[in-house]
């Protein structure tokens, strides 16, 4: 039986190859300048070869962002919901900082979509529900925790100058992130 291959398959592309090239290009030129044509050029193929793997630039960006979140460990080994939430969000923060070039895309997209983003959101929801956060507040709490984490990671990914003109070291920014995170979690669990 003869199988007809799509353009991207004829070019020998796989989703992993497309995503790796897109991630490199995005890190070099930013989300606004990244294009399907640029990714295709990097791979030495015609732009239509990419469409066997993604439907648009937005779809490609969504795949890249969701792929980053695959590194977040949602299996927190603690029974305390507060500690579990903190561990989960700190791990997310660390993963985001490892992919600082993608942080502007996370900000523009206001997070990520896809299986890994849903897995992360479900993990946060589970811990909030375990802490008896009222059901009508769980989605809002997830949103606030994610915004805090993405925002702080974006802030920490650039040089930060304090009021005295000194650059704040990453350890200070991490401390500020975790203190703010504790305040948010405490407030959510106290509602």
């Amino acid at each position: 039986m003869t199988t007809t291959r799509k353009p991207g398959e004829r070019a020998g592309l796989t989703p992993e190859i497309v995503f790796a090239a897109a991630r490199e290009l995005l890190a070099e030129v930013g989300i606004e300048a990244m294009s399907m044509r640029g990714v295709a050029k990097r791979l030495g193929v015609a732009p239509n070869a990419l469409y066997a793997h993604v439907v648009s630039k937005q779809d490609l960006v969504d795949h890249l962002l969701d792929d980053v979140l695959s590194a977040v460990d949602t299996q927190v080994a603690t029974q305390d919901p507060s500690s579990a939430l903190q561990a989960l969000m700190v791990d997310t923060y660390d993963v985001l900082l490892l992919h600082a070039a993608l942080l502007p895309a996370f900000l523009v997209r206001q997070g990520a979509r896809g299986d890994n983003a849903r897995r992360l959101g479900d993990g946060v929801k589970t811990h909030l529900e375990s802490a008896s956060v009222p059901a009508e507040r769980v989605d809002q709490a997830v949103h606030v925790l994610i915004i805090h984490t993405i925002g702080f990671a974006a802030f920490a990914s650039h040089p930060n100058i304090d009021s005295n003109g000194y650059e704040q070291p990453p350890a200070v920014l991490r401390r500020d992130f975790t203190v703010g995170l504790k305040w948010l979690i405490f407030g959510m669990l106290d509602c």
Side-chain angles (χ1 to χ4, degrees):
M1 176 172 125
T2 304
T3 305
T4 305
R5 296 187 300 179
K6 298 176 187 171
E9 293 168 336
R10 284 193 296 269
L13 298 179
T14 65
E16 293 76 23
I17 291 170
V18 172
F19 300 153
R23 196 172 13 263
E24 290 171 3
L25 183 62
L26 184 61
E28 289 172 19
V29 303
I31 189 169
E32 298 303 323
M34 188 185 90
S35 66
M36 296 292 277
R37 187 174 303 280
V39 174
K41 183 177 179 182
R42 180 170 289 254
L43 291 168
V45 299
N48 70 334
L50 302 178
Y51 294 103
H53 305 288
V54 293
V55 297
S56 66
K57 173 185 171 180
Q58 195 57 62
D59 184 42
L60 179 58
V61 170
D62 285 343
H63 276 87
L64 293 177
L65 299 182
D66 196 56
D67 186 53
V68 165
L69 296 180
S70 69
V72 176
D73 181 10
T74 58
Q75 303 301 315
V76 180
T78 180
Q79 297 297 319
D80 174 44
S82 175
S83 297
L85 281 167
Q86 184 173 344
L88 185 54
M89 299 320 294
V90 167
D91 191 38
T92 303
Y93 174 83
D94 290 340
V95 166
L96 291 174
L97 281 179
L98 289 174
H99 302 278
L102 294 176
L103 281 164
F106 275 101
L107 291 170
V108 168
R109 294 294 290 148
Q110 298 180 4
R113 289 126 180 94
D115 292 340
N116 294 311
R118 279 188 287 284
R119 181 178 53 83
L120 175 57
D122 290 346
V124 174
K125 283 181 184 181
T126 297
H127 298 307
L128 289 166
E129 290 165 351
S130 295
S132 301
V133 170
E136 65 274 6
R137 294 197 172 205
V138 168
D139 287 338
Q140 182 182 25
V142 170
H143 189 71
V144 168
L145 290 170
I146 289 172
I147 288 172
H148 177 75
T149 304
I150 293 172
F152 243 99
F155 185 73
S157 70
H158 298 299
N160 291 280
I161 309 300
D162 68 15
S163 60
N164 296 317
Y166 297 104
E167 185 172 336
Q168 293 181 312
V172 170
L173 296 169
R174 183 183 177 82
R175 180 205 63 206
D176 291 349
F177 165 71
T178 57
V179 167
L181 184 61
K182 286 178 186 178
W183 291 342
L184 286 171
I185 292 170
F186 177 76
M188 289 171 183
L189 302 184
D190 195 39
C191 287

